[in-house]
Amino acid sequence: MPKIKFLPHNKEVTVDDGEILIRAAMEAGVHVNASCGGEGLCGKCRVIIESGSVEGGITERLSSEDQEKGYRLACQSRVTQDLVVRIPIESEIDAKVLNMQSTPRRTARIQEMDLDELKEKELFTPPVEKKYIELPPPTAQDNLADATRLVSHLKLNHDEHRLVVDLPVIRKLPDVLRQEDFRLTATLARPVQAGRKTRVINVQPGDTADRNYAIAIDVGTTTIYGQLVDLISGKVLAQYGDFNGQISYGEDVISRIVYAEKPEGLEKLHEVVVETINRVIKECTKRTGVEADEISTITLAGNTTMTQLLLKVNPRYIRRSPYVPASTLYAPINAASLGLALGDHVTALVYPAVSSYVGGDIVAGVMGSGMYRTDELTLFMDIGTNAEIVVGNKDWLACAACSAGPAFEGGGIKFGMRAAKGAIEDFNINPLTNEPMLITIGNVRPKGICGSGLITMVATMFEMGVIDSQGKFNRDLDTPRIRETDGVVEYVLAWQDETQIDRDVALTEIDIENFIRAKGAMYSGYMTLLSEVGMGIQDIERIILAGGFGSYVDLEKAMIIGLLPEIDPDRVTFVGNGSLMGAKMSSLTNRIRKDVVEVTRKMTNFELSETSSFMDNYVAALFLPHTDLNQFPKLKARLDMRKEMLQ
Amino acid sequence: MPKIKFLPHNKEVTVDDGEILIRAAMEAGVHVNASCGGEGLCGKCRVIIESGSVEGGITERLSSEDQEKGYRLACQSRVTQDLVVRIPIESEIDAKVLNMQSTPRRTARIQEMDLDELKEKELFTPPVEKKYIELPPPTAQDNLADATRLVSHLKLNHDEHRLVVDLPVIRKLPDVLRQEDFRLTATLARPVQAGRKTRVINVQPGDTADRNYAIAIDVGTTTIYGQLVDLISGKVLAQYGDFNGQISYGEDVISRIVYAEKPEGLEKLHEVVVETINRVIKECTKRTGVEADEISTITLAGNTTMTQLLLKVNPRYIRRSPYVPASTLYAPINAASLGLALGDHVTALVYPAVSSYVGGDIVAGVMGSGMYRTDELTLFMDIGTNAEIVVGNKDWLACAACSAGPAFEGGGIKFGMRAAKGAIEDFNINPLTNEPMLITIGNVRPKGICGSGLITMVATMFEMGVIDSQGKFNRDLDTPRIRETDGVVEYVLAWQDETQIDRDVALTEIDIENFIRAKGAMYSGYMTLLSEVGMGIQDIERIILAGGFGSYVDLEKAMIIGLLPEIDPDRVTFVGNGSLMGAKMSSLTNRIRKDVVEVTRKMTNFELSETSSFMDNYVAALFLPHTDLNQFPKLKARLDMRKEMLQ
């Protein structure tokens, strides 16, 4: 992997081969002006390659003279070897100021399932196993019933006790036994609770023991993700996501609930979500050549409303005070009876919920991330369409839903958008000129701002003094980018001719206000949970981020704005889709299925709106980073240093 | 109840008010000539009323002179008061000989379920209970999920632990709760096995705890009987029987199996038996005003083939050597999923089988009769279309199916018929004149002989010396009734003009031969079971008879012919439809559901055709009563005495 040294900052960074140079600069925390998102249009990201060479980087924006001097456009240059790159800056003072800028970009370490660790701890115990068996054919002296013959053999030769044979298996058993001369493969479903029976859920002629698969599904409000898991190797063989078909009936859970209350509404929503899941399953099997009959189990996780709609349980009271779900626990259920396109032998396990707004997706995240087994006081945050937080460890767990609003997904932000092509995902600002450095998803001209971009933007502007701790722009700055439009102060991120949308793209004070409310809700959420159990922010030892958002968020920036508490970034991990991870994990280890009921019971739900300390905590959190700056000592030190330097 | 003394025998009998006098005579073991079945046609049953008076009894067959002397036709006289009745006989010798005749008619004591005993032993524990509950409505401070609220309340206030709520209950729970202001009735299904969970299977608004019912079904090859049981009082509120709709597809199990092997045959047979069961359930609910929703559980018992057809399990291998059923045990199954017209909350329990030809009907009889809990060595016999025997007690059980043939149901007998109107059910013979005394079901002219009649007939003829121990007629007797027709010797029971069928009704030597084979198969069956466990006939302490047949059979006669071993008739009980009784009992006490699996496992099945001693035992039993008369000491003594007297 090539190493790059940036001058005059003297900052080094190692990047993937082929990385775009401007992204490498961002990674190193080095500012380069750039307002076209990386498309090569604005021509501002000029850098000098002092040692080594890049691929590309030459456009008509560079005179041939400049090219000869080693100038390249950073956004058009690909890094393939070690480089020394100089950023042309205005003065020596600049360099100092630039050097004060925020630390290199740090995203959370991705926490992946460690299959070897699972195996080592003897936790790789799939809930469904296959056994190949050769039975002695019956004779006049030994004419046991077919099912008894099977069960007796499993008992004597495979140490399988307390077996029960499902009726559909009994129905096919006589013919399956005689198809390959009493050689067959039995599929055994392990009991979740000790002392209960192992079920024989399928029989297949001959030896099919090496083909045993599971499906894991995250039933998201917007998107449904599925994985096909090989229960022999423990590996994910295919993953596929598709929009939840319910979207046509409402974007968010509330509008889905409203629709479900209409005549036949519940049936319709149930039907379309099952259709989507079936499509996801079909795509996964198609990609891997696995037959539906070879899938032995399915686990699904979703928020409380998604779970009730899937199970055809009317979610009517979820949206009405006092917000009561029909149930939190659901017994395992025959998958085909739900309409899932799986064999009659497949039992569906649906993750339990804690409350109306802390659902099975969060429980799945807590289980799948291993939070429920850790000693360390952990903060788990799942930020998606809704935001949920869990604090605790293996001894106790407290959770809450945050009415954070959709700011982290671009909602309530003038130019907010989902993390899609054209969304500004990275940002820096030149503290002297106040010119921006924008990088967009896909390196195209910007059309909006996504959640992680917003965090970086607000954090950087705050640290650079462009906005104050209340989120108001510093009107004293000498830049045309800060202006008032229709009575609202805003900062122009990209001028009309640099965007995709025929308009200036800007960040407004109202946006920042909404954003501060969202981050304030999160912060005060977990602060409240901690104080309710007599602890404080400083006790947090570990953070787990879930939700698509978590993979992009710059941890240092999130700590600057007060979304995350100040903590060693190494102690922050990202689990991706926590719901899907939990669903997958419960296919691989029966231990999770055993533990989940107790864990769910242990998860104390707090209705923040009913918790008296929440409002105080919330009001205190409506600042960058917080009213009480002492909660952010590292940031305080930096701000103090900066103040000193600028004096 | 009126008392009657018969002279010159000096025998007394007490009968129900309104009983027909000739039946009273039969009951007392007193012979009266009668060959028209009790219709008053033959005019032979003349008796003299010496004290008291009867209703009726006067027909044109009696001259006015005879009437004045007190003569009446016994078959036309109803007993309403105490009587002294003289039987006109030919001589003093007659009287003696007649007196030697067999003991008074003794049928088995009916063994009924003793509900009080069940309650006393704390065995009245229906598997499904209802609880009326008043819940506190949710508030902002207490917004548990509806199902959690229900479960917590049951735990705290009703000491109900380890509950699981079924999905259909969760689906209706939110609305049911709010229908009567959080007052509702929950239906709890108890686990069969200790340590498993109690399921909440239904919820109803308001208080319906006093309406809790069960259905018990005997799935017979010919007839399906059902009972509706009140689970509060333990009483049977309705009983109904209907022909099994499968009859159109074959009369016996073998022809049903053959049909089930045809394309769609299994589905068809499954469908029609379910239709019949639904008809039986509907009739039971109609008669009692019970709603389908108020039925909480159903138990079904049937032979192995009937069980497999009901559960849609192809019985193909039951009729093929080595006669292997698909399974013996079936887990409880949702009743609606079988097509039964019951609520979605109802679980069907199907009695387990032992083997292809000892089915759930027999296991139900063993459970329902309490045989499996007794210390006494018991012989259980179920004689119907097929015959099955079980010997043992609470410590061990051995069982077998007897290929007894259909003789006991009138099959293979020239004039054999089912126990229906016109069937000769009782018989005696005048040892001097060899004239018969016939009583038919319904007191109409005879048209055939039913099983219990046949036993009495053969036993009486044997004891009176009309047939010998090989079942051959004594050709030396001076009577036109014994004759040879088409090379077969027979005894004319009723002349053409006394019958309903325009022919003489007779009993042939071939009939007797078939009959002896049938009784021989039964006797050698249980003799073989006993000898296989190192015991003998003399060890039998108790006999339980099941099957419609058992209620009518004259026990002393059955001992004379060697169908039953000689035992005190007080030790013989009749349980009626054992299958139905077992099904009902398992609705009333969960204990039976718990015990049945172990009992079934304990029931050692013998394939008599594969058991070497069976053939020897069978050949030895092809005599009246047996080759070894010492096995019947009481009969031996009577025969010896008779021989002496006649010398």
Side-chain angles (χ1 to χ4, degrees):
Chain A
M1 297 207 301
K3 203 181 339 180
I4 310 165
K5 178 184 274 188
F6 289 100
L7 300 174
H9 315 65
N10 225 22
K11 282 188 178 167
E12 281 192 0
V13 70
T14 301
V15 299
D16 287 341
D17 195 44
E19 178 62 290
I20 292 165
L21 185 54
I22 197 167
R23 288 190 179 267
M26 187 66 89
E27 195 77 18
V30 167
H31 179 88
V32 182
N33 286 344
S35 55
C36 70
E39 195 170 304
L41 194 82
C42 69
K44 292 174 185 164
C45 58
R46 293 151 54 105
V47 297
I48 306 159
I49 310 297
E50 291 200 342
S51 160
S53 68
V54 296
E55 275 181 14
I58 297 172
T59 75
E60 55 190 18
R61 295 262 166 191
L62 288 177
S63 64
S64 55
E65 196 183 338
D66 282 349
Q67 290 178 27
E68 273 165 34
K69 286 185 185 157
Y71 278 90
R72 295 290 183 272
L73 288 189
C75 77
Q76 301 298 306
S77 306
R78 289 199 176 275
V79 182
T80 56
Q81 51 179 242
D82 289 355
L83 300 172
V84 176
V85 179
R86 178 170 296 275
I87 313 297
I89 45 176
E90 290 74 9
S91 66
E92 273 305 305
I93 296 168
D94 284 8
K96 264 194 197 161
V97 175
L98 290 178
N99 248 345
M100 283 178 356
Q101 260 185 247
S102 52
T103 46
R105 179 172 168 71
R106 274 296 299 274
T107 53
R109 182 166 48 86
I110 293 170
Q111 177 187 336
E112 284 195 281
M113 183 193 67
D114 188 340
L115 198 65
D116 291 331
E117 191 206 333
L118 269 191
K119 285 178 182 169
E120 203 172 287
K121 293 187 177 168
E122 294 187 352
L123 289 179
F124 182 49
T125 51
V128 181
E129 281 179 71
K130 280 182 157 189
K131 301 267 184 189
Y132 171 63
I133 298 160
E134 299 184 358
L135 295 176
T139 62
Q141 283 69 42
D142 165 25
N143 64 351
L144 288 177
D146 288 335
T148 314
R149 177 171 308 276
L150 175 65
V151 165
S152 304
H153 182 90
L154 284 165
K155 193 171 179 173
L156 286 173
N157 299 287
H158 296 265
D159 206 27
E160 293 288 349
H161 299 272
R162 296 179 61 72
L163 293 170
V164 62
V165 186
D166 281 1
L167 182 56
V169 175
I170 294 175
R171 285 187 179 139
K172 64 199 275 202
L173 182 61
D175 288 332
V176 166
L177 278 180
R178 289 160 182 87
Q179 213 165 318
E180 299 243 354
D181 199 22
F182 288 82
R183 296 190 184 89
L184 76 163
T185 303
T187 310
L188 308 183
R190 300 296 175 199
V192 170
Q193 281 161 19
R196 300 190 75 166
K197 292 187 174 181
T198 292
R199 285 165 52 217
V200 181
I201 60 167
N202 202 13
V203 284
Q204 294 165 314
D207 186 354
T208 66
D210 60 337
R211 296 188 67 80
N212 192 20
Y213 305 95
I215 293 280
I217 299 279
D218 160 41
V219 188
T221 308
T222 307
T223 313
I224 292 181
Y225 289 100
Q227 287 181 336
L228 189 144
V229 185
D230 183 340
L231 292 180
I232 309 295
S233 70
K235 290 193 178 125
V236 174
L237 302 189
Q239 173 163 334
Y240 182 71
D242 201 345
F243 283 113
N244 184 337
Q246 292 176 343
I247 284 183
S248 323
Y249 304 90
E251 287 245 340
D252 53 27
V253 293
I254 298 301
S255 53
R256 304 271 171 90
I257 296 174
V258 170
Y259 189 87
E261 292 181 61
K262 295 181 181 172
E264 301 302 312
L266 175 60
E267 289 69 21
K268 188 71 205 169
L269 293 181
H270 165 75
E271 200 178 285
V272 297
V273 74
V274 167
E275 271 170 23
T276 306
I277 296 172
N278 285 340
R279 208 158 52 236
V280 169
I281 294 173
K282 198 172 176 184
E283 190 61 33
C284 288
T285 51
K286 207 176 82 185
R287 290 180 180 189
T288 49
V290 166
E291 303 285 332
D293 188 44
E294 297 174 328
I295 294 169
S296 302
T297 181
I298 182 170
T299 308
L300 305 106
N303 65 45
T304 308
T305 301
M306 286 306 112
T307 300
Q308 290 198 198
L309 292 177
L310 170 66
L311 296 174
K312 220 193 281 183
V313 177
N314 202 312
R316 183 176 296 127
Y317 304 101
I318 288 182
R319 76 176 182 100
R320 289 183 165 81
S321 171
Y323 315 112
V324 176
S327 186
T328 52
L329 281 174
Y330 293 92
I333 181 174
N334 178 273
S337 79
L338 286 179
L340 297 175
L342 294 168
D344 200 29
H345 62 285
V346 178
T347 295
L349 202 86
V350 179
Y351 258 101
V354 175
S355 63
S356 276
Y357 294 102
V358 177
D361 49 348
I362 303 309
V363 175
V366 168
M367 301 306 294
S369 67
M371 173 180 183
Y372 81 104
R373 285 191 278 118
T374 183
D375 287 316
E376 301 167 310
L377 179 59
T378 304
L379 166 63
F380 177 96
M381 300 172 77
D382 191 324
I383 306 172
T385 312
N386 301 294
E388 295 91 3
I389 48 179
V390 187
V391 294
N393 56 24
K394 69 177 169 52
D395 299 319
W396 61 276
L397 292 161
C399 60
C402 275
S403 32
F408 296 117
E409 294 217 324
I413 308 296
K414 191 172 180 184
F415 290 94
M417 64 180 287
R418 296 240 162 119
K421 209 167 176 181
I424 301 169
E425 60 167 345
D426 240 332
F427 177 85
N428 207 343
I429 198 164
N430 184 318
L432 290 177
T433 63
N434 298 307
E435 280 304 292
M437 172 185 189
L438 304 183
I439 298 184
T440 62
I441 296 176
N443 299 314
V444 295
R445 280 181 288 166
K447 61 179 179 186
I449 314 162
C450 68
S452 59
L454 194 59
I455 289 174
T456 301
M457 212 172 272
V458 173
T460 305
M461 287 185 176
F462 171 61
E463 204 173 356
M464 295 298 113
V466 180
I467 54 176
D468 63 15
S469 69
Q470 293 184 61
K472 301 298 175 200
F473 284 105
N474 180 354
R475 303 294 295 270
D476 298 337
L477 295 180
D478 177 24
T479 168
R481 289 189 180 263
I482 295 179
R483 69 182 186 193
E484 196 173 316
T485 304
D486 299 333
V488 178
V489 182
E490 61 185 16
Y491 174 93
V492 180
L493 294 159
W495 304 106
Q496 182 172 344
D497 58 353
E498 296 165 335
T499 73
Q500 288 186 48
I501 54 169
D502 267 351
R503 274 184 295 163
D504 298 345
V505 170
L507 178 71
T508 73
E509 281 187 352
I510 293 175
D511 293 343
I512 299 173
E513 201 177 309
N514 284 334
F515 173 78
I516 290 178
R517 278 206 203 99
K519 77 92 193 170
M522 301 287 292
Y523 188 85
S524 56
Y526 56 81
M527 194 164 170
T528 303
L529 293 188
L530 285 163
S531 65
E532 287 292 317
V533 296
M535 305 187 92
I537 296 286
Q538 69 287 350
D539 296 314
I540 295 173
E541 296 170 281
R542 192 177 158 217
I543 295 175
I544 299 173
L545 299 178
F549 178 81
S551 68
Y552 302 107
V553 69
D554 185 328
L555 299 176
E556 300 274 5
K557 302 291 190 295
M559 292 174 198
I560 288 170
I561 58 161
L563 171 64
L564 295 184
E566 269 188 7
I567 185 175
D568 175 359
D570 279 342
R571 310 291 301 154
V572 183
T573 54
F574 170 65
V575 294
N577 185 330
S579 176
L580 189 60
M581 183 185 210
K584 179 187 69 180
M585 290 293 285
S586 88
S587 303
L588 292 175
T589 166
N590 215 9
R591 166 76 179 272
I592 286 193
R593 298 187 176 210
K594 285 196 220 289
D595 291 343
V596 69
V597 174
E598 207 204 327
V599 171
T600 309
R601 213 168 271 146
K602 206 190 276 174
M603 287 174 75
T604 310
N605 184 63
F606 285 84
E607 294 289 336
L608 293 177
S609 59
E610 300 292 329
T611 310
S612 56
S613 59
F614 176 73
M615 217 40 198
D616 295 339
N617 287 330
Y618 177 61
V619 172
L622 291 180
F623 289 86
L624 296 173
H626 195 269
T627 324
D628 176 13
L629 197 53
N630 291 320
Q631 291 187 19
F632 295 81
K634 273 161 49 184
L635 174 63
K636 184 166 183 288
R638 277 213 309 281
L639 290 177
D640 287 347
M641 191 173 78
R642 184 183 152 85
K643 220 179 278 172
E644 246 169 60
M645 286 189 68
L646 291 181
Q647 264 163 7
Chain B
M1 296 208 302
K3 201 181 339 177
I4 309 165
K5 178 184 273 184
F6 288 101
L7 301 175
H9 316 67
N10 225 24
K11 283 186 178 168
E12 281 192 359
V13 69
T14 301
V15 298
D16 288 340
D17 196 44
E19 178 63 289
I20 292 165
L21 186 53
I22 197 166
R23 288 189 178 268
M26 187 66 88
E27 195 77 15
V30 166
H31 179 87
V32 180
N33 287 343
S35 55
C36 71
E39 196 170 304
L41 194 83
C42 69
K44 290 174 186 164
C45 58
R46 292 150 56 105
V47 298
I48 305 159
I49 311 298
E50 293 200 341
S51 163
S53 67
V54 296
E55 274 181 17
I58 296 171
T59 76
E60 54 189 21
R61 294 262 167 192
L62 289 177
S63 64
S64 56
E65 197 184 341
D66 281 350
Q67 291 176 28
E68 273 164 34
K69 284 184 187 160
Y71 276 91
R72 295 292 182 274
L73 287 188
C75 75
Q76 301 298 305
S77 306
R78 289 199 176 274
V79 182
T80 57
Q81 54 179 241
D82 290 356
L83 300 172
V84 176
V85 177
R86 178 171 296 273
I87 313 297
I89 44 174
E90 290 74 9
S91 67
E92 272 303 304
I93 295 165
D94 286 7
K96 265 193 195 160
V97 174
L98 291 176
N99 247 346
M100 283 176 356
Q101 263 186 246
S102 52
T103 46
R105 179 173 167 71
R106 272 297 298 274
T107 53
R109 183 167 48 88
I110 294 170
Q111 178 185 338
E112 286 196 278
M113 183 192 67
D114 187 340
L115 197 64
D116 292 330
E117 191 204 334
L118 270 190
K119 286 177 181 171
E120 204 174 288
K121 292 187 178 166
E122 294 185 352
L123 290 178
F124 182 49
T125 51
V128 181
E129 280 179 72
K130 281 184 156 188
K131 302 266 185 190
Y132 170 65
I133 298 161
E134 299 184 359
L135 295 176
T139 63
Q141 284 69 42
D142 165 25
N143 64 351
L144 289 177
D146 287 335
T148 313
R149 176 171 308 276
L150 175 65
V151 165
S152 305
H153 182 90
L154 283 166
K155 193 171 180 174
L156 287 173
N157 299 286
H158 295 266
D159 206 28
E160 293 288 348
H161 300 273
R162 297 179 60 71
L163 292 171
V164 62
V165 186
D166 281 1
L167 181 56
V169 175
I170 294 174
R171 285 186 178 141
K172 64 199 277 199
L173 182 61
D175 288 331
V176 166
L177 278 179
R178 289 160 181 86
Q179 213 165 316
E180 299 242 353
D181 199 21
F182 288 81
R183 296 191 184 91
L184 75 162
T185 303
T187 310
L188 308 183
R190 301 297 175 197
V192 170
Q193 281 161 18
R196 300 191 75 166
K197 292 188 173 179
T198 291
R199 287 166 50 218
V200 181
I201 59 167
N202 202 13
V203 285
Q204 295 165 313
D207 186 355
T208 65
D210 61 337
R211 296 189 65 80
N212 192 20
Y213 305 94
I215 293 280
I217 299 278
D218 161 40
V219 189
T221 309
T222 307
T223 313
I224 292 181
Y225 289 99
Q227 288 181 333
L228 189 144
V229 185
D230 183 339
L231 292 179
I232 309 295
S233 70
K235 290 195 178 121
V236 174
L237 302 189
Q239 173 163 337
Y240 182 70
D242 202 343
F243 283 112
N244 184 336
Q246 292 176 342
I247 283 183
S248 323
Y249 304 90
E251 288 243 339
D252 53 28
V253 292
I254 298 301
S255 53
R256 303 272 171 88
I257 296 174
V258 170
Y259 189 87
E261 292 181 61
K262 295 182 181 173
E264 301 302 313
L266 176 61
E267 289 69 21
K268 188 70 203 169
L269 292 182
H270 165 75
E271 200 178 285
V272 296
V273 73
V274 167
E275 271 170 22
T276 306
I277 295 172
N278 284 341
R279 209 157 51 234
V280 169
I281 295 172
K282 197 171 178 188
E283 189 61 34
C284 287
T285 51
K286 208 175 81 185
R287 289 179 180 190
T288 49
V290 166
E291 303 285 332
D293 189 43
E294 297 174 328
I295 294 169
S296 301
T297 181
I298 182 170
T299 309
L300 304 106
N303 65 47
T304 308
T305 301
M306 286 306 110
T307 300
Q308 291 198 198
L309 292 176
L310 171 66
L311 297 174
K312 223 193 278 182
V313 176
N314 202 313
R316 183 176 295 128
Y317 303 101
I318 288 182
R319 75 175 182 102
R320 290 182 165 79
S321 172
Y323 314 113
V324 176
S327 185
T328 52
L329 280 174
Y330 294 91
I333 180 173
N334 178 272
S337 77
L338 286 179
L340 296 174
L342 293 168
D344 201 28
H345 61 285
V346 178
T347 295
L349 202 86
V350 179
Y351 258 101
V354 175
S355 64
S356 276
Y357 294 101
V358 177
D361 49 348
I362 302 307
V363 175
V366 167
M367 300 307 292
S369 67
M371 174 179 182
Y372 81 104
R373 286 191 279 118
T374 184
D375 288 315
E376 300 168 311
L377 179 59
T378 304
L379 166 63
F380 177 96
M381 301 172 78
D382 192 323
I383 306 172
T385 312
N386 301 295
E388 295 91 3
I389 49 179
V390 187
V391 294
N393 56 25
K394 70 178 168 53
D395 299 319
W396 62 276
L397 292 161
C399 60
C402 275
S403 33
F408 295 116
E409 294 215 325
I413 306 297
K414 190 171 181 185
F415 290 95
M417 64 181 285
R418 297 237 163 120
K421 209 168 174 181
I424 299 170
E425 60 166 344
D426 241 331
F427 178 85
N428 208 343
I429 197 164
N430 183 318
L432 289 177
T433 62
N434 300 306
E435 282 301 293
M437 173 186 187
L438 304 182
I439 298 182
T440 62
I441 296 175
N443 297 315
V444 295
R445 280 180 287 166
K447 61 179 180 187
I449 312 163
C450 68
S452 59
L454 192 57
I455 290 175
T456 301
M457 212 172 274
V458 173
T460 305
M461 286 184 175
F462 171 61
E463 204 174 355
M464 295 298 113
V466 178
I467 54 176
D468 63 15
S469 68
Q470 294 184 59
K472 302 299 175 196
F473 284 104
N474 180 355
R475 304 291 296 271
D476 297 337
L477 295 180
D478 178 24
T479 169
R481 288 187 180 265
I482 297 179
R483 68 182 186 194
E484 195 172 315
T485 303
D486 300 332
V488 178
V489 182
E490 62 185 14
Y491 174 94
V492 180
L493 294 158
W495 304 105
Q496 182 173 342
D497 60 350
E498 295 164 337
T499 74
Q500 288 186 47
I501 54 170
D502 266 349
R503 277 184 294 162
D504 296 347
V505 170
L507 178 73
T508 74
E509 280 187 353
I510 293 176
D511 294 343
I512 299 173
E513 202 177 309
N514 285 335
F515 174 78
I516 289 178
R517 278 205 202 98
K519 77 93 193 170
M522 302 287 292
Y523 188 86
S524 55
Y526 55 82
M527 196 162 167
T528 302
L529 293 188
L530 285 163
S531 64
E532 287 292 317
V533 295
M535 304 187 93
I537 296 286
Q538 70 287 348
D539 296 314
I540 296 173
E541 296 170 282
R542 195 178 154 214
I543 296 174
I544 299 173
L545 299 177
F549 178 81
S551 68
Y552 302 106
V553 67
D554 185 329
L555 299 175
E556 299 274 4
K557 301 292 190 295
M559 293 176 196
I560 288 170
I561 59 161
L563 171 63
L564 295 184
E566 268 188 7
I567 185 176
D568 175 0
D570 279 340
R571 310 291 301 155
V572 183
T573 54
F574 170 65
V575 294
N577 185 329
S579 177
L580 188 60
M581 185 185 207
K584 179 187 68 181
M585 289 294 285
S586 88
S587 305
L588 293 175
T589 167
N590 216 9
R591 166 77 180 271
I592 285 192
R593 297 187 177 211
K594 286 197 217 291
D595 291 343
V596 70
V597 174
E598 205 204 326
V599 171
T600 308
R601 212 167 272 146
K602 205 190 278 175
M603 286 174 75
T604 310
N605 184 60
F606 287 85
E607 294 288 338
L608 293 178
S609 59
E610 300 291 329
T611 309
S612 57
S613 59
F614 176 72
M615 218 39 194
D616 295 339
N617 286 330
Y618 177 60
V619 171
L622 292 179
F623 290 84
L624 296 172
H626 195 269
T627 323
D628 176 15
L629 197 54
N630 291 321
Q631 292 187 18
F632 295 83
K634 272 162 50 183
L635 174 63
K636 185 168 185 285
R638 277 212 308 282
L639 290 176
D640 287 348
M641 191 173 77
R642 185 184 149 82
K643 218 178 280 171
E644 242 169 64
M645 284 190 68
L646 289 180
Q647 266 164 2

